[in-house]
Amino acid sequence: MIDSKLKVSKRLLMVGALAVATFGAGIQIAAAQDKVKVGALRFTSHAAGFIALEKGYFKEEGIDAEFVFFQAAQPIAVAMASGDTDFGIAGMTGGFVNLAAKDALKAIGGVLREKKGVDGMAILASNKAYDAGLTSVDKLPGHSVALTQVGSTFHYMSSIIAGAKGFPLSDLKLTPLQKVGSMIGAIKSGQVDTMIMVPHIAKPLVSSGDAKLLGWLNDYTDDYQISVMAASAKTISERPDVVKRFIKAYARGIEEFNSVMLDQKDAAKVEELVKIIHKYVYQDRPYEKAAPPIKAGSMYLNEGVKLNVTDLTRQLEWMQSEKLIPGTITIDQVINKNFTEAY
């Protein structure tokens, strides 16, 4: 009888010890999560990161990711350079290139790009300009175009259109407004004549009658690398394994976004992802009002976060031709090809 009681007590002690060890291991695993901050915009095109966060893909890679939001691409690059963020999803602006050349950050992968057959950046006219005769892309010369900053992706996109249509970029009146929100307000009020904008913003402006659609950027280019994934130089040098795991998780988000949101055939899966994206995009609107523009704003994201070096080189050369950056900067100073496939 005494022996059986001793055996039971030993078993209870062993179970208790195992529970304590398991609990301790759980704490250790939680503590092992690598904390990173990611600069982003509240755009549908940044949704792969939101999906990776909400569905636990970052956590599965041992990463505790926090998104920090900005209102333009250039400040995202500055935040990486200053150490305020570890990663960023941003266009390759003049400011980005200059900071990369100073070894403050590097582009490590591709995120958003134009692709034929998938709605991309829309070319809009204000109602005021349209009524005054700006009814087609051919009539853009002489008109004002909204930008965030000189050297921004909007600046470069304007040059793509000018080159395709055979008129000098100087025929456009570039109007830097610093923030995307200011660009939207200017087109609605008629303070600027035209702007190029992501579809989740552009399509609702057109459907509500606040602007007119003139065309699509991918009528003139089908491989423009609109945004890249970047990392601070410190993150790359001190935590290369974190970079690899971050990319792996983000790539899962891209794969899921493309497979579900580009054809939108599976209604249940679409609703699941749109609810996730709504936490970050149009989060100030009720779901029923936010869902349609989110769905309409689905753009093509680079599979596997592949880095389009060919197009980034074109962008770099254009910036140099416009005297936005020093002519001595090379593409190898801007990118790091050690983490994803480059093409």
Side-chain angles (χ1 to χ4, degrees), residues 136-301:
S136 73
V137 175
D138 293 321
K139 297 179 179 180
L140 279 174
H143 288 90
S144 59
V145 56
L147 314 172
T148 46
Q149 297 95 13
V150 170
S152 65
T153 54
F154 299 108
H155 190 174
Y156 180 67
M157 286 184 264
S158 300
S159 78
I160 290 175
I161 297 167
K165 286 297 180 181
F167 63 84
L169 184 59
S170 57
D171 280 0
L172 294 176
K173 299 172 185 176
L174 304 179
T175 309
L177 297 170
Q178 307 309 315
K179 300 176 182 179
V180 170
S182 299
M183 292 171 63
I184 297 168
I187 203 80
K188 290 171 71 174
S189 64
Q191 291 175 294
V192 293
D193 300 326
T194 184
M195 75 173 180
I196 307 164
M197 187 51 62
V198 288
H200 83 265
I201 293 174
K203 289 180 180 180
L205 286 173
V206 173
S207 63
S208 65
D210 288 319
K212 296 291 191 295
L213 178 67
L214 298 182
W216 300 93
L217 187 65
N218 62 23
D219 290 336
Y220 310 105
T221 177
D222 66 351
D223 62 350
Y224 168 42
Q225 187 68 63
I226 304 170
S227 67
V228 297
M229 176 186 290
S232 69
K234 182 178 180 181
T235 302
I236 291 170
S237 64
E238 296 181 4
R239 301 199 288 172
D241 185 60
V242 172
V243 175
K244 291 175 184 176
R245 287 184 278 124
F246 182 86
I247 288 174
K248 184 178 178 181
Y250 204 100
R252 286 181 67 186
I254 286 179
E255 181 181 10
E256 189 160 355
F257 179 88
N258 281 350
S259 66
V260 174
M261 297 302 296
L262 293 185
D263 62 28
Q264 299 187 21
K265 291 180 180 178
D266 190 324
K269 288 183 179 179
V270 169
E271 185 176 14
E272 178 193 16
L273 293 194
V274 171
K275 283 182 176 178
I276 287 174
I277 297 167
H278 180 228
K279 292 182 180 181
Y280 305 91
V281 181
Y282 293 137
Q283 75 282 7
D284 56 341
R285 301 183 185 181
Y287 176 77
E288 57 273 13
K289 290 187 177 180
I294 289 173
K295 291 176 184 177
S298 298
M299 300 173 70
Y300 179 81
L301 305 181

Side-chain angles (χ1 to χ4, degrees), residues 96-154:
F96 181 106
V97 172
N98 280 316
L99 289 169
K102 294 175 182 176
D103 286 328
L105 54 86
K106 301 293 179 186
I108 57 174
V111 178
L112 174 67
R113 79 170 180 86
E114 291 286 353
K115 185 178 182 180
K116 292 290 188 188
V118 180
D119 287 348
M121 303 297 294
I123 307 164
L124 303 181
S126 70
N127 289 331
K128 180 180 177 181
Y130 189 89
D131 292 341
L134 180 56
T135 55
S136 73
V137 175
D138 293 321
K139 297 179 179 180
L140 279 174
H143 288 90
S144 59
V145 56
L147 314 172
T148 46
Q149 297 95 13
V150 170
S152 65
T153 54
F154 299 108

